[in-house]
Amino acid sequence: MLRRSFLSAATGALTARAAATRPPNFVVLFADDMGYGDLSCYGHPTIRTPNLDRMAEEGMRFTSFYAAASVCTPSRVGLLTGRYPVRAGQPNNTGPDTVGGLPLNETLLPQILKPRGYRTMAIGKWHLGYKPQEYLPTSRGFDHYLGLPYSNDMIPPFVKTNQPLEMYRDKTAVETIGDQSNLTERYTDEAKRFIRESGDDPFFLYLPYAMPHLPISAGERFRGRSRAGLYGDVIEAIDWSAGEILATIKDRGLDGNTMVIFASDNGPWHDLPDRMLAKGNQPWHTGSKNLLRGAKGTTWEGGPRVPGIFRWPGHVAPRQVSAEMASTLDLVPTLARAAGATLPNDRTYDGFDLMPLLRGERASSPRNEFFYFLGKRLEGVREGSWKLRFARDSASRQLEPQLFDLDMDPAERYDRYSENRETGDRLLVRLRAFAQELRADIAQ
Ligand code: MG
């Protein structure tokens, strides 16, 4: 400890007094299309993720952690607004030719933190609108931005568009991106610089990686390194990135004053559309979800259920694994409360403050419900261990409502509706009422 203190002093870390009175720092590392089963600590047999495994060891790892949606844009909407994407007015993906994006009357997490003196930066994939410029991160609470304004596949031949894929620095397109193999390293360098230059101000760093969204690629030092092919290399690069960022926080003596969160925006992209099978993309360039059913773009568990890791030494006890429900929707209220910031009181939030659970002050999650949306359609609700799913199949045929006990049957293999009719009926009523409240579509 003594040695650490000396090191901290030498690297210009905060005095104890300043650290005690200022709000905590927040770092959100957000992978794209990484599956529930892609990390060693979530059971992957060959991909090695020692940094994220250690991060989980040093904090709390959730096994029922949900992204707000099972595709890219609405998932980010939920994380940054604390509201279901339908409620926030952006339930579908945006693209290179989209004008507008997440409605400008939505208040984003960095805007909520700003009054508490935060330096804020977004690095990576934005995907909440970029035309006109009012939709870019620097108009929405982030002091600075470096990254791609939408998905890395939104270029020919995968997507028909005349827009070049460009790297933005704040509000300016600075470079057309061809080779994507160094994106993870580039974002990591920028993140380290941002953390090093943060001085005594609290900071919020939001780092939505481009990877492992197709088309995947990895820097030279990662290629061929994993036993799981190129996809494994890409995940191991993200693990390296997390390790670099955690080391930078530690070097600055900010470990005890920084909450770091790792999650993914949705599950793996299985059953690729034909348009994606070009330019070297392979069907197996995608992740895994262990025994969960479904994948990206579905309301089966493999769609929205993702890794969720929280680390904040001194506040979140190490070596915790929680089967309680939590969601990226909970980040806005959790981080706002931890920062001493105030949420706007003119709107409804769909998140809960997780700190009492993270601190061990309560054993159960404040979240007892999660709703599963596909675009504007509400297809399911989970309450406790029960999940009601009322959806259409891939051929758009209406299915009968089904009821799964996720604690016993996380693979959603056994429909238990007929023997638990009271629970099923009650959840169906709840589903309909919530759809009505949000003016969402619902299966009829
Ligand atoms: Mg995604």
Side-chain angles (χ1 to χ4, degrees):
M1 272 319 279
L2 192 61
R3 189 162 167 271
R4 274 281 307 287
S5 304
F6 274 123
L7 267 180
S8 300
T11 50
L14 300 169
T15 62
R17 198 164 146 203
T21 53
R22 74 167 208 173
N25 311 306
F26 304 117
V27 175
V28 176
L29 307 175
F30 204 41
D32 193 350
D33 291 9
M34 197 191 82
Y36 179 83
D38 284 342
L39 303 179
S40 306
C41 58
Y42 280 84
H44 200 284
T46 48
I47 298 176
R48 292 166 303 187
T49 52
N51 295 297
L52 289 165
D53 298 349
R54 188 167 58 247
M55 179 180 157
E57 275 286 303
E58 292 169 348
M60 186 180 275
R61 178 170 75 82
F62 285 93
T63 58
S64 280
F65 191 77
Y66 291 96
S70 64
V71 294
C72 304
T73 295
S75 178
R76 285 145 217 274
V77 170
L79 187 152
L80 286 169
T81 66
R83 287 148 55 82
Y84 281 110
V86 169
R87 201 194 288 281
Q90 183 64 53
N92 294 304
N93 279 340
T94 63
D97 296 301
T98 304
V99 176
L102 175 60
L104 296 174
N105 57 4
E106 287 297 315
T107 303
L108 276 59
L109 179 55
Q111 294 170 304
I112 293 165
L113 298 175
K114 266 285 163 197
R116 295 290 288 143
Y118 277 78
R119 285 181 81 231
T120 56
M121 183 164 191
I123 302 171
K125 167 167 146 178
W126 180 238
H127 216 179
L128 297 174
Y130 77 114
K131 279 190 303 195
Q133 290 190 342
E134 285 76 11
Y135 290 87
L136 280 167
T138 43
S139 299
R140 312 211 66 174
F142 288 105
D143 299 328
H144 293 291
Y145 174 55
L146 177 78
L148 305 178
Y150 42 79
S151 295
N152 58 324
D153 69 326
M154 291 180 163
I155 39 172
F158 314 120
V159 169
K160 279 190 198 126
T161 179
N162 292 321
Q163 299 292 331
L165 182 63
E166 292 176 309
M167 177 76 73
Y168 276 67
R169 167 77 67 181
D170 295 338
K171 282 185 164 55
T172 311
V174 292
E175 181 186 338
T176 300
I177 298 296
D179 177 13
Q180 300 185 5
S181 64
N182 67 352
L183 284 177
T184 298
E185 286 148 288
R186 197 163 166 185
Y187 291 160
T188 306
D189 288 345
E190 188 75 18
K192 288 162 68 177
R193 189 173 314 126
F194 172 76
I195 294 166
R196 284 200 202 102
E197 291 174 357
S198 278
D200 282 356
D201 295 329
F203 60 82
F204 169 48
L205 170 64
Y206 170 57
L207 203 178
Y209 294 98
M211 296 288 145
H213 193 293
L214 281 157
I216 54 170
S217 56
E220 202 176 316
R221 67 173 129 164
F222 299 105
R223 276 200 294 274
R225 198 177 82 165
S226 90
R227 291 180 60 160
L230 180 58
Y231 186 84
D233 298 343
V234 168
I235 297 297
E236 292 189 7
I238 288 175
D239 180 73
W240 162 85
S241 172
E244 290 288 301
I245 289 163
L246 287 165
T248 306
I249 293 166
K250 189 172 191 173
D251 286 349
R252 282 213 52 207
L254 295 175
D255 249 358
N257 204 31
T258 305
M259 189 199 296
V260 184
I261 299 159
F262 182 88
S264 176
D265 72 332
N266 52 253
W269 199 0
H270 289 175
D271 305 319
L272 294 177
D274 289 343
R275 68 179 174 86
M276 289 308 299
L277 293 170
K279 289 196 112 177
N281 284 348
Q282 302 293 347
W284 53 87
H285 284 175
T286 185
S288 56
K289 67 284 182 355
N290 280 350
L291 40 55
L292 301 182
R293 183 170 178 176
K296 173 179 179 172
T298 76
T299 52
W300 297 111
E301 290 297 296
R305 204 197 284 203
V306 291
I309 302 171
F310 289 68
R311 177 190 186 270
W312 188 6
H315 298 264
V316 181
R319 290 177 291 283
Q320 298 188 80
V321 180
S322 176
E324 291 293 303
M325 253 196 279
S327 169
T328 54
L329 290 163
D330 302 325
L331 297 192
V332 165
T334 302
L335 274 52
R337 177 72 70 87
T342 311
L343 294 181
N345 59 11
D346 61 346
R347 62 198 68 200
T348 302
Y349 281 90
D350 295 302
F352 299 88
D353 178 10
L354 297 175
M355 271 325 294
L357 174 65
L358 290 165
R359 285 187 200 274
E361 292 160 6
R362 55 180 288 173
S364 61
S365 175
R367 170 175 291 284
N368 195 40
E369 274 184 333
F370 177 77
F371 290 93
Y372 302 74
F373 287 91
L374 195 62
K376 203 167 180 277
R377 192 164 73 235
L378 179 55
E379 289 198 338
V381 55
R382 176 176 176 179
E383 183 198 271
S385 72
W386 290 110
K387 174 180 180 179
L388 176 95
R389 190 165 181 273
F390 188 36
R392 292 175 184 275
D393 66 13
S394 54
S396 221
R397 284 184 301 254
Q398 180 59 52
L399 301 172
E400 289 296 311
Q402 294 174 298
L403 187 69
F404 301 98
D405 180 347
L406 292 178
D407 280 353
M408 196 187 301
D409 175 29
E412 299 174 273
R413 293 174 66 183
Y414 306 103
D415 177 12
R416 308 278 299 280
Y417 201 112
S418 60
E419 45 169 317
N420 297 278
R421 201 153 277 286
E422 204 178 303
T423 301
D425 290 350
R426 185 169 51 75
L427 289 180
L428 198 51
V429 168
R430 180 70 185 120
L431 188 81
R432 290 199 164 109
F434 199 67
Q436 196 165 25
E437 182 190 333
L438 270 65
R439 298 200 186 96
D441 297 335
I442 191 169
Q444 297 298 330

